[in-house]
Amino acid sequence: MEKLRKAQLLQGNQACAIAALEAGVRFFGGYPITPSTEIAEHMAAELPKLGGKFIQMEDEIGGMGAVLGAALTGTKAMTATSGPGFSLKQENIGFAAMTEIPCVIVNVQRMGPSTGGPTAPAQGDVMQARWGTHGDHPIIAVSPASVLEAYELTVKAINFSEKLRTPVIILLDETIGHMREKVELPAIETLELYERKRPSTPAEKYLPYETDETGIPEMADFGTGYRWHVTGLNHDETGFPTGKTDVIEKQLMRLLTKVEKYQEEITLYKTYKIEDAEYLFITFGGTVRPAMEAVEILRKEGMKIGLFQLQTIWPFPEEIVQEYCKDKKTIFVPEMNMGQIRGEIKKVVDNKEKLVGINKINGEIITPQEIVSKVKEVANKC
Amino acid sequence: MLKDIEKLLRQDKMPHIWCPGCGNGIVMKAMLEAINSTGIDTKKTVVVSGIGCSSRATGYMNFDTLHTTHGRALAFATGVKLAKPELNVFVVTGDGDGSAIGGNHLIHAARRNIDINVVMFNNNIYGMTGGQYSPLTPHGKFATTAPYGNFDRAFNICDLVKGAGATFIGRGTVFHTKVLTEMIKGAIENKGFSFVEAVSICPISYGRRNKMGTAPQMMEWLKENSVPVKAASKLPPEKVAGKILVGELYKEEAPEFTQKYDELIARFQKGAE
Amino acid sequence: MAKIVINQKWCKACGICYGLCPKGVLDKDDTGKVVVKNPDACIMCRICEEHCPDYCIKIGG
Ligand SMILES: Cc1ncc(C[n+]2csc(CCOP(=O)(O)OP(=O)(O)O)c2C)c(N)n1
Ligand code: SF4
Ligand code: SF4
Ligand code: SF4
Ligand SMILES: [Mg+2]
């Protein structure tokens, strides 16, 4: 049986911060913003006790920059923010993707656009997480649906970033970030942790962007004599700028395929009452709970409905979603945006007519009752 | 001397990309001279730059080097230094990179007095993008985006970082290379935030448009229009007005940021014993 | 006689070295690149070495 700690009352943001520290994060750079600030506050209090470093930067751009600088010294580093700050971080997230610097960005989503509703939940940053930077590169994003998942997926996110040398985004939302729950965290000694691969070659032979069959280059810590160059310009295996189109293409394709290659490992999801289901919810994050309740209500009324929860949102698990959609009569997609995940499902579902969105963007969470009535309205028509 | 610093230059990347007569190579050389003469551990030295002609210097300097995004070098450098305070951290930035888009990071890094040595390559223009005015383009000068003369007033960037809290400030020029090297040495020796303004020449994107002649003529201009700061105090004000003051402009002792942080960590470690 | 080592490969013909040399030691060839014209006059002041933006000149070997 899984070893667990004593139950404790935790907030989602807190669980995320605790997980980060337990997974070895020793640097946090950020800028306060509701509803993410508790993460920074927790880090400010705890990091120095662990020999780690916290810094409140002058803005989110600086926070992201500081995180990447710290990560280059060999330190696991993280930042946390919300919509407006997430927008500001984008250029440097692109830099991290291009230069393959491991880092984790927590975005506790709030209502937008613009200042929107600082304390109002939303899930409107799904696409920004995927396409927020310029250029074409892969990204990993996970979205927890409970306080416990905030812990678990933060550990995973840090592992993914270290293993694949890529930025990983944790899409929390105000609902989960501020929710308090009694949780039993897994015992620390049961955590499986991963660290980036350090060079197996001496400094004279080190090619910072050379890869073997893993597709992931080895990374030297700054200050260990490797004297390597990091640039956001197109670069070759040596790390220095190049204008050779064939080399550029090879590097960029490797960036894309290095994430694809590990998609199976990265793809995390859960299913609920799915075995006999004729109807299906597909949802994620803060909308999972109300949708689960809706499953209960609808099942009591005799409807065979189940739930598929996306924990990993990017890369979007197309094949698995396709498989689960195949024999369903209708697929309902509740989300606190106007259909950002539904759009992804639409790309892979056999019959688009089967796909129904349940959307809300007024800053209130979607209630189980709202979900139930929408389902009934549609199912009765069929 | 060049022969002493060749090992600090990535010779296989030379010749560099800068235009004929560009001052960037001279400033970079002064940095290498200063680093070499202070004998700091070059394996434990990191140079961080932003974006611009000047920021390409990191590609030629044989340390761990980090060529970041426009204006953000100091943010990245803050992360490097705070995560690993034993590293010697330098920032190479342009006048646009460091005083416009990166101005906020500049004043806040100065305020923290974090031990980073900033060398601002000031060519009074956005060189890389072909000659648009920067916050350090003098009033009235011409730029592609100031075709009728620059309406803006320029920062006195050294005064700005002084007000923000820098604990060592010096200025040199690409003509006054010895002073420039001395200033960078002073920056290295200062345990805190140090700022060196390296007044440079950009014959291509600035000099030409402002009819300043060839690179040697621009050098001559620097010579004629600079006054050592020590001499300036003895000169009548009209001889100093509008001149570039070179030399050490400011120095003070103040607690350094990463050292303070390490003291905090030590306090917790003691408590745990 | 001072040893003046020139790396013409990197020279970009900017004119700074022969413009600043106080003794007329350096000159340009027909492409504007540096050449040593009058080595005996060199006083080893290193003005050329310090001001060459392209790392082309070494004085004293
Ligand atoms: C975010 C962003 N905005 C604008 C640019 C375009 N850009 C590149 S370099 C530069 C100005 C550089 O000027 P300066 O810092 O003075 O450096 P110099 O080229 O003069 O050395 C600009 C505006 C960019 N690369 N990134
Ligand atoms: S444009 Fe100006 S600053 Fe840029 S390389 Fe040319 S001379 Fe130097
Ligand atoms: S060292 Fe001085 S005198 Fe000799 S060539 Fe160079 S500038 Fe001229
Ligand atoms: S200063 Fe250097 S680049 Fe310029 S002409 Fe002389 S040797 Fe050539
Ligand atoms: Mg400039």
Side-chain angles (χ1 to χ4, degrees), chain C residues 2 4 17-18 20-26 36 38-39 41-49 57 59:
Chain C
I4 307 173
C17 59
Y18 44 83
L20 294 185
C21 173
K23 294 291 166 188
V25 176
L26 305 172
V36 183
N38 190 9
C42 178
I43 54 168
M44 296 184 72
C45 66
R46 288 210 158 83
I47 285 176
C48 55
E49 180 180 307
I57 307 174
I59 300 296

Side-chain angles (χ1 to χ4, degrees), chain A residues 40-61:
Chain A
E41 288 167 345
H42 190 92
M43 292 302 202
E46 299 306 317
L47 272 167
K49 297 182 191 165
L50 300 166
K53 310 287 169 67
F54 167 89
I55 188 168
Q56 180 172 312
M57 291 296 284
E58 46 278 10
D59 57 34
E60 285 87 348
I61 306 173

Side-chain angles (χ1 to χ4, degrees), chain B residues 17-24 52-54 123 125-131 200-206:
Chain B
I17 56 158
W18 295 313
C19 306
C22 173
N24 288 343
C53 294
S54 40
N123 56 7
I125 201 81
Y126 286 178
M128 176 145 271
T129 42
S200 186
I201 57 172
C202 167
I204 304 302
S205 295
Y206 183 72

